[in-house]
Amino acid sequence: MVAPGEVVGIDSSQVQIDRATALARERGLRNVAFEVGDVYQLGFSDASFDVVFTQALLIHLGDRLAALREIRRVLKPGG
């Protein structure tokens, strides 16, 4: 849906990363990558992404504001 853009999926669980990687491979998706990450300390430079999408994440977090600040940090201005 975002081609020719690239997608990076982040999860704290290696099991979920492995599942997502296998599914992407099975579907022939070449513009996606998955990695284990921490929403409180994302391993990306400031303003790295045009869009950030989360699903069913914030409800599970102890410090939602800190997570949103980190998400905002990696989001480009106007993103």
Side-chain angles (χ1 to χ4, degrees):
M1 293 176 67
V2 299
E6 297 180 13
V7 175
V8 179
I10 305 293
D11 197 281
S12 61
S13 166
Q14 183 64 52
V15 170
Q16 294 303 328
I17 296 302
D18 294 343
R19 287 178 180 167
T21 300
L23 184 60
R25 189 176 306 123
E26 178 183 305
R27 293 185 178 178
L29 301 174
R30 301 193 192 302
N31 66 328
V32 298
F34 301 96
E35 57 186 71
V36 173
D38 179 351
V39 71
Y40 299 113
Q41 292 183 311
L42 296 168
F44 302 100
S45 300
D46 294 357
S48 297
F49 294 92
D50 296 314
V51 175
V52 174
F53 172 78
T54 67
Q55 181 175 342
L57 170 68
L58 296 176
I59 195 166
H60 298 285
L61 299 178
D63 190 347
R64 294 179 187 121
L65 187 55
L68 288 169
R69 284 185 179 131
E70 181 64 355
I71 289 168
R72 183 176 179 198
R73 181 188 68 76
V74 300
L75 189 61
K76 291 179 181 176

